[in-house]
Amino acid sequence: MVPQGDQVENVASAIDQAAQESSKFDAGQALRVALLSSTPTDFPVNEIPDLSVKAALWAFEYHISVKSENNRLRAVIEPRFRGASGESEPPEVADVPDEVAQIWNALVAKVTSSWGQARLHHLLFERRFGNPHQHAVASAESYLSAAKDWEIGLDRAQYLGIALRVAKAVNSADLANSVVSQLVDDATQELSRDEVRPGVFMRLVEPILAERRLPTVIDDLLESATLKYSDPFIQDEILGLQIGKASDVATKRVLRERRVRVWGEAADRAQGIVRAMHLKKALERAEESQERDLVERAAARLQELRNEDLGLVTFTASTNIDAAEIERLLAPMRDVGNWQHALLCIFQAYGPSTGNLTQNQTRVGEHVRQFVFSAMVSSELLGGDGLPRYHPQSEEDRSAMALAEQESHNIQAWAPILAMALSRIAEIYGIPDEKELAEFFSQAPLADDSLAHALARSFIRYWAGDVEGAAFTILPRIEALTRNLVVAMDRGVYRLQRDRKPGQYPGLGYLLDVLKEHGMDESWHRCVLTVCANPAGGWNIRNEVAHGFIDDMTAPAAAVVLQVAIYLWSLNGRPDDASNAGEAQ
């Protein structure tokens, strides 16, 4: 049964009274307080017995915004809350009971404020109640009127944007033109203010730029805005809008060059990491332009940066391990009886230096739950030359970075132990000569005589104290071992020459993924990837060494790559059985 008479009158009066507030947020709060005067303000709306009160509160709880759907802008009405199982609060407008829609219709006849009229007519239009076209026109007119009741600001800009979309939805051209004129007037007034509020200006011009026929004044508005707002992020956004509306190639080229210059000038005013990020943005914009000269100039400026220019701070931490505990960890080297078994223990006894994948994922998840804010902050990875290497583009990328960071912590803890374990082999059993080591390494099915000798020389270099030589010469063998395993599985991965790109095997990351598909232990897959070639972080030693960005190779770092090499060497190379390390022995 639909409430009548005094109930509807009282609710309509409360809506009009709330409309006197200075913002739509304050108006919504005032309406809730007025209608729940004898009930706690946090009382669930669904449980309110008075249907007219419930209908009114529902009406003003919906969130209304302008969104792009199928490349078309439209005003979207969404419930305040949606649950995982499909429930919502309030109900979806299409699912609102008829008696609630009837109350909205009764209220719209009593409410006099534009704020109340706009919302109620809009809901009735969306609900297709009565005459939808009339409700849409009345709603757009009321949004326009309500916007004028407030000072120029975000609320006013939002209402004008909604009014335009509703008018367009029913092809009310004259009303849409009136809204556009108001948007232009407000944007012009916003630029004349002493107060700098670029967010308000952008909210006003974006609906205008979505129109097919743009007002002639829009070019002057955007140009004036680039002069008023000195912040490079705002200038960049405005220039992006200008590029989007420009129709000729020459104008686009000039605007793109200005966009690059904005970030270059911002870099001149900044220092440290901020300067680096501005120069990176300049290069990004130059690459978008596809103008070769522009790209080269922007890249040259970024390349001028050095680590000392960034103003970064290095934090170090150390952990003391009891001597008895160290001896316990090194016991496998002594207990196996000979250097051959000791070498196998480097990976069999200690496992991947990055740790267990499942445990690492669990720790990352715990960190996200405990440190919510830090998990939301995006990071930028810098290479050994101080230049930006990797920036996550999605939630999946951020998760990959977090996992690589956890694995890197584990490597830092275990690398010194591995270094001591390798040294302990030489202390206990002496350093084998190259022939003995080569015979040992040649036992693996996929290590020919040349590769076996190359592996032997790298280990001898480590034991002789040339840890840099050991690491630098073992790293190419890691890729050779991985490639041999993939080829042995009859996977056709070689790529013929295309244009000027010569024929070649795919990168190490791709080859490792092939091994994982054929049963390679996932924790070891992560270890090899993160130690050697993980774009999302980690030590990435192979790539940094290959490009000359590591000047001082330490024994722990060398020990880690030697462990990776002996693990890969131990795999037997049979299809779908790449996880069975050490079977050849």
Side-chain angles (χ1 to χ4, degrees):
M1 180 177 179
V2 180
Q4 300 293 331
D6 292 343
Q7 283 180 297
V8 173
E9 289 278 359
N10 291 337
V11 172
S13 177
I15 293 172
D16 288 337
Q17 185 63 37
Q20 303 304 311
E21 297 292 333
S22 59
S23 71
K24 64 184 183 67
F25 174 80
D26 291 337
Q29 292 295 100
L31 177 62
R32 190 175 181 88
V33 170
L35 294 180
L36 297 176
S37 57
S38 59
T39 309
T41 54
D42 59 351
F43 190 81
V45 176
N46 278 340
E47 299 178 18
I48 294 174
D50 190 323
L51 188 58
S52 59
V53 171
K54 179 190 294 187
L57 290 174
W58 272 354
F60 290 90
E61 280 191 343
Y62 288 102
H63 177 67
I64 304 179
S65 60
V66 175
K67 294 185 177 181
S68 177
E69 295 183 355
N70 299 320
N71 294 322
R72 294 184 61 185
L73 294 177
R74 65 180 296 264
V76 178
I77 302 178
E78 298 174 295
R80 174 182 57 83
F81 167 79
R82 275 199 184 96
S85 58
E87 74 279 9
S88 66
E89 174 67 28
E92 299 285 353
V93 176
D95 299 332
V96 166
D98 286 341
E99 53 267 31
V100 172
Q102 290 173 17
I103 292 175
W104 289 344
N105 193 52
L107 284 171
V108 84
K110 301 291 184 181
V111 168
T112 59
S113 62
S114 298
W115 177 69
Q117 289 270 324
R119 175 59 64 101
L120 292 167
H121 276 300
H122 196 170
L123 290 171
L124 291 167
F125 164 61
E126 191 75 16
R127 181 64 168 67
R128 300 299 186 263
F129 185 92
N131 188 323
H133 185 275
Q134 289 182 357
H135 285 306
V137 172
S139 173
E141 290 175 342
S142 297
Y143 275 123
L144 177 58
S145 177
K148 294 178 180 179
D149 292 339
W150 288 317
E151 293 183 6
I152 294 178
L154 291 177
D155 286 346
R156 178 162 169 161
Q158 183 189 34
Y159 266 33
L160 290 174
I162 295 172
L164 181 57
R165 297 313 348 139
V166 175
K168 290 289 221 177
V170 291
N171 297 317
S172 181
D174 290 342
L175 182 53
N177 291 336
S178 298
V179 177
V180 170
S181 295
Q182 188 63 53
L183 285 164
V184 169
D185 290 345
D186 281 8
T188 304
Q189 291 183 53
E190 185 62 32
L191 289 176
S192 67
R193 287 172 172 263
D194 293 333
E195 187 179 4
V196 177
R197 301 189 304 178
V200 175
F201 175 81
M202 297 301 292
R203 185 69 68 88
L204 289 166
V205 297
E206 284 170 353
I208 302 173
L209 291 169
E211 294 297 290
R212 290 184 179 179
R213 299 181 61 183
L214 297 176
T216 55
V217 72
I218 193 65
D219 288 327
D220 293 337
L221 282 174
L222 292 174
E223 191 59 36
S224 298
T226 61
L227 300 175
K228 180 178 179 65
Y229 304 123
S230 59
D231 185 279
F233 292 92
I234 303 302
Q235 289 186 329
D236 178 86
E237 189 172 357
I238 295 171
L239 285 166
L241 295 175
Q242 290 178 290
I243 292 169
K245 66 173 288 297
S247 56
D248 61 287
V249 175
T251 301
K252 285 180 180 290
R253 183 181 295 114
V254 171
L255 291 170
R256 284 173 176 144
E257 188 168 354
R258 283 181 60 189
R259 208 176 188 186
V260 174
R261 191 164 61 248
V262 161
W263 291 108
E265 292 172 352
D268 292 337
R269 299 190 297 268
Q271 294 180 336
I273 194 67
V274 176
R275 181 167 182 262
M277 291 302 99
H278 287 345
L279 289 175
K280 178 197 171 189
K281 200 70 176 180
L283 180 54
E284 287 178 357
R285 294 308 187 211
E287 289 177 342
E288 289 172 5
S289 74
Q290 298 182 344
E291 295 288 336
R292 183 175 178 179
D293 291 344
L294 203 57
V295 172
E296 289 184 355
R297 291 199 302 271
R301 289 206 61 188
L302 182 62
Q303 291 166 194
E304 291 172 358
L305 289 175
R306 297 294 180 266
N307 281 329
E308 55 269 21
D309 298 329
L310 301 178
L312 300 178
V313 178
T314 300
F315 293 92
T316 60
S318 61
T319 301
N320 291 324
I321 302 178
D322 185 76
E325 176 64 13
I326 292 177
E327 288 304 316
R328 186 189 70 78
L329 292 171
L330 298 180
M333 300 297 100
R334 180 187 65 249
D335 297 341
V336 292
N338 57 55
W339 62 263
Q340 291 91 339
H341 286 101
L343 274 177
L344 294 178
C345 280
I346 289 296
F347 71 88
Q348 290 176 337
Y350 297 110
S353 60
T354 49
N356 178 273
L357 175 59
T358 302
Q359 293 177 357
N360 288 335
Q361 290 171 330
T362 300
R363 290 191 182 102
V364 170
E366 290 173 351
H367 185 276
V368 170
R369 287 189 292 273
Q370 293 178 13
F371 306 98
V372 178
F373 181 73
S374 64
M376 295 170 59
V377 176
S378 185
S379 301
E380 179 94 23
L381 292 179
L382 304 181
D385 54 353
L387 298 183
R389 285 284 191 276
Y390 182 83
H391 182 74
Q393 304 295 317
S394 64
E395 189 60 37
E396 183 180 355
D397 290 347
R398 280 187 283 274
S399 297
M401 278 187 64
L403 180 58
E405 184 178 2
Q406 176 62 49
E407 290 168 338
S408 296
H409 290 320
N410 294 344
I411 299 173
Q412 289 171 341
W414 274 105
I417 302 299
L418 290 175
M420 287 187 283
L422 274 173
S423 297
R424 185 62 58 91
I425 293 174
E427 293 171 8
I428 296 174
Y429 307 107
I431 301 177
D433 61 31
E434 182 178 335
K435 182 180 178 181
E436 290 178 301
L437 276 167
E439 289 177 354
F440 171 76
F441 286 124
S442 65
Q443 295 177 74
L446 302 179
D448 59 23
D449 187 62
S450 297
L451 180 55
H453 276 274
L455 293 171
R457 289 192 296 271
S458 293
F459 278 86
I460 290 172
R461 290 186 183 100
Y462 182 88
W463 285 320
D466 183 11
V467 296
E468 183 175 73
F472 280 33
T473 55
I474 202 70
L475 284 167
R477 314 305 173 196
I478 288 174
E479 187 158 355
L481 289 164
T482 307
R483 184 173 61 248
N484 287 351
L485 286 164
V486 172
V487 171
M489 293 173 181
D490 294 329
R491 287 295 300 267
V493 295
Y494 189 79
R495 298 168 181 169
L496 293 175
Q497 176 177 338
R498 290 187 179 180
D499 298 325
R500 296 185 178 181
K501 190 174 183 180
Q504 60 185 336
Y505 282 98
L508 179 60
Y510 179 89
L511 296 174
L512 288 171
D513 286 343
V514 172
L515 293 186
K516 186 175 73 169
E517 291 174 8
H518 284 265
M520 182 181 185
D521 180 86
E522 289 193 354
S523 295
W524 274 108
H525 169 266
R526 288 292 310 180
C527 179
V528 182
L529 180 68
T530 298
V531 168
C532 295
N534 190 346
W539 280 27
N540 213 1
I541 293 177
R542 167 189 171 268
N543 290 345
E544 294 295 290
V545 166
H547 291 93
F549 296 137
I550 294 181
D551 297 323
D552 183 20
M553 179 65 66
T554 63
V560 167
V561 294
L562 287 169
Q563 185 205 38
V564 165
I566 198 169
Y567 166 75
L568 290 169
W569 162 84
S570 72
L571 300 181
N572 58 37
R574 291 181 300 176
D576 300 315
D577 198 18
S579 62
N580 297 326
E583 283 192 3
Q585 288 67 40

Coordinates of all heavy atoms in Angstrom, one line a residue, residues 186-214:
D186 N 30.7 28.5 -17.1 CA 31.3 28.2 -15.8 C 32.8 28.0 -16.0 O 33.6 28.4 -15.1 CB 30.7 26.9 -15.2 CG 29.4 27.2 -14.6 OD1 28.8 28.3 -14.7 OD2 28.8 26.2 -13.9
A187 N 33.2 27.4 -17.1 CA 34.7 27.1 -17.3 C 35.4 28.5 -17.5 O 36.5 28.7 -17.0 CB 34.9 26.3 -18.5
T188 N 34.7 29.4 -18.2 CA 35.3 30.7 -18.4 C 35.5 31.5 -17.1 O 36.5 32.1 -16.8 CB 34.4 31.6 -19.3 OG1 34.3 30.9 -20.6 CG2 35.1 32.9 -19.6
Q189 N 34.4 31.4 -16.2 CA 34.5 32.0 -14.9 C 35.6 31.4 -14.0 O 36.3 32.1 -13.3 CB 33.2 31.9 -14.2 CG 32.1 32.8 -14.8 CD 30.8 32.7 -14.0 OE1 30.8 32.9 -12.8 NE2 29.7 32.4 -14.7
E190 N 35.7 30.1 -14.1 CA 36.7 29.3 -13.3 C 38.1 29.8 -13.7 O 39.0 30.0 -12.8 CB 36.6 27.8 -13.6 CG 37.5 27.0 -12.7 CD 37.2 27.1 -11.2 OE1 36.0 27.3 -10.8 OE2 38.2 27.0 -10.4
L191 N 38.4 30.1 -14.9 CA 39.7 30.6 -15.3 C 40.0 32.0 -14.8 O 41.2 32.4 -14.7 CB 39.9 30.5 -16.8 CG 40.0 29.1 -17.5 CD1 40.0 29.2 -19.0 CD2 41.2 28.4 -17.0
S192 N 38.9 32.8 -14.6 CA 39.1 34.1 -14.2 C 39.3 34.3 -12.6 O 39.6 35.3 -12.1 CB 37.9 35.0 -14.6 OG 36.7 34.6 -13.9
R193 N 39.1 33.2 -11.9 CA 39.3 33.2 -10.5 C 40.7 33.3 -10.1 O 41.6 32.8 -10.8 CB 38.7 31.9 -9.8 CG 37.2 31.8 -9.8 CD 36.8 30.4 -9.4 NE 35.3 30.4 -9.1 CZ 34.7 30.5 -8.0 NH1 35.5 30.7 -6.9 NH2 33.4 30.4 -7.8
D194 N 41.0 33.9 -8.9 CA 42.4 33.9 -8.4 C 42.7 32.5 -7.8 O 43.9 32.1 -7.9 CB 42.5 35.0 -7.3 CG 42.4 36.4 -7.8 OD1 42.7 36.6 -9.0 OD2 41.9 37.3 -7.1
E195 N 41.7 31.8 -7.3 CA 41.9 30.5 -6.8 C 42.2 29.5 -7.9 O 41.6 29.6 -9.0 CB 40.7 30.1 -6.0 CG 40.9 28.8 -5.2 CD 39.6 28.4 -4.5 OE1 38.6 29.2 -4.6 OE2 39.6 27.4 -3.8
V196 N 43.2 28.7 -7.7 CA 43.6 27.7 -8.7 C 42.9 26.4 -8.4 O 43.2 25.7 -7.4 CB 45.1 27.5 -8.7 CG1 45.5 26.4 -9.8 CG2 45.8 28.8 -9.1
R197 N 41.9 26.0 -9.3 CA 41.2 24.7 -9.0 C 41.1 24.0 -10.4 O 40.0 23.9 -11.0 CB 39.8 25.0 -8.5 CG 39.8 25.8 -7.2 CD 38.4 25.8 -6.6 NE 37.4 26.4 -7.5 CZ 36.1 26.5 -7.2 NH1 35.7 26.1 -6.0 NH2 35.3 27.1 -8.0
P198 N 42.2 23.4 -10.8 CA 42.2 22.7 -12.1 C 41.2 21.6 -12.2 O 40.7 21.3 -13.2 CB 43.6 22.2 -12.3 CG 44.2 22.2 -10.9 CD 43.5 23.3 -10.1
G199 N 41.0 20.9 -11.0 CA 40.0 19.8 -11.1 C 38.6 20.2 -11.5 O 37.9 19.5 -12.2
V200 N 38.2 21.4 -11.0 CA 36.9 21.9 -11.4 C 36.8 22.2 -12.9 O 35.9 21.9 -13.6 CB 36.5 23.2 -10.5 CG1 35.2 23.8 -11.0 CG2 36.5 22.8 -9.0
F201 N 37.9 22.9 -13.3 CA 37.9 23.3 -14.8 C 37.9 22.0 -15.6 O 37.1 22.0 -16.6 CB 39.2 24.1 -15.1 CG 39.4 24.4 -16.5 CD1 38.7 25.4 -17.1 CD2 40.2 23.6 -17.3 CE1 38.8 25.7 -18.5 CE2 40.3 23.9 -18.7 CZ 39.7 24.9 -19.2
M202 N 38.7 21.0 -15.3 CA 38.7 19.8 -16.1 C 37.3 19.1 -16.1 O 36.9 18.6 -17.1 CB 39.8 18.8 -15.6 CG 41.2 19.4 -15.7 SD 41.6 19.8 -17.4 CE 41.7 18.2 -18.1
R203 N 36.6 19.1 -15.0 CA 35.3 18.5 -14.9 C 34.3 19.2 -15.7 O 33.3 18.6 -16.2 CB 34.9 18.5 -13.4 CG 33.6 17.8 -13.1 CD 33.7 16.3 -13.3 NE 34.5 15.7 -12.3 CZ 34.1 15.2 -11.1 NH1 32.8 15.3 -10.8 NH2 34.9 14.7 -10.3
L204 N 34.5 20.5 -15.9 CA 33.6 21.3 -16.8 C 33.9 21.2 -18.3 O 32.9 21.1 -19.0 CB 33.8 22.8 -16.4 CG 33.2 23.2 -15.0 CD1 33.7 24.6 -14.6 CD2 31.7 23.2 -15.0
V205 N 35.1 21.1 -18.7 CA 35.4 21.0 -20.1 C 35.3 19.6 -20.7 O 35.0 19.5 -21.9 CB 36.8 21.6 -20.5 CG1 36.9 23.1 -20.1 CG2 37.9 20.8 -19.8
E206 N 35.5 18.6 -19.9 CA 35.4 17.2 -20.4 C 34.1 16.9 -21.1 O 34.0 16.3 -22.2 CB 35.8 16.2 -19.3 CG 37.3 16.2 -19.1 CD 37.7 15.4 -17.8 OE1 36.7 14.9 -17.1 OE2 38.9 15.2 -17.6
P207 N 32.9 17.3 -20.5 CA 31.6 17.0 -21.1 C 31.5 17.8 -22.4 O 30.9 17.3 -23.4 CB 30.6 17.5 -20.1 CG 31.3 17.5 -18.8 CD 32.7 17.8 -19.1
I208 N 32.1 19.0 -22.5 CA 32.0 19.8 -23.7 C 32.8 19.1 -24.8 O 32.3 19.0 -26.0 CB 32.6 21.2 -23.5 CG1 31.8 21.9 -22.3 CG2 32.5 22.0 -24.8 CD1 32.5 23.2 -21.9
L209 N 33.9 18.6 -24.5 CA 34.8 17.9 -25.5 C 34.2 16.6 -26.1 O 34.6 16.1 -27.1 CB 36.2 17.7 -25.0 CG 37.0 18.9 -24.7 CD1 38.3 18.6 -23.9 CD2 37.4 19.6 -26.0
A210 N 33.2 16.1 -25.4 CA 32.6 14.8 -25.8 C 31.6 15.1 -26.9 O 31.1 14.2 -27.6 CB 32.0 14.1 -24.7
E211 N 31.2 16.4 -27.1 CA 30.2 16.8 -28.1 C 30.8 16.7 -29.5 O 32.0 16.9 -29.8 CB 29.7 18.2 -27.9 CG 29.0 18.3 -26.5 CD 27.7 17.5 -26.5 OE1 26.8 17.8 -27.3 OE2 27.7 16.5 -25.8
R212 N 29.9 16.4 -30.5 CA 30.4 16.3 -31.9 C 30.7 17.7 -32.4 O 31.6 17.9 -33.2 CB 29.3 15.6 -32.7 CG 29.2 14.1 -32.4 CD 28.2 13.5 -33.4 NE 28.0 12.0 -33.1 CZ 27.2 11.2 -33.8 NH1 26.4 11.8 -34.8 NH2 27.2 9.9 -33.5
R213 N 29.8 18.6 -32.1 CA 30.0 20.0 -32.6 C 30.5 20.8 -31.4 O 29.7 21.1 -30.4 CB 28.7 20.6 -33.1 CG 28.2 19.8 -34.4 CD 26.9 20.4 -34.9 NE 27.1 21.8 -35.3 CZ 26.2 22.6 -35.8 NH1 24.9 22.1 -35.9 NH2 26.4 23.8 -36.2
L214 N 31.7 21.2 -31.4 CA 32.3 21.9 -30.3 C 32.1 23.4 -30.4 O 32.2 24.0 -31.5 CB 33.8 21.6 -30.2 CG 34.2 20.1 -30.0 CD1 35.7 20.0 -30.0 CD2 33.7 19.7 -28.6

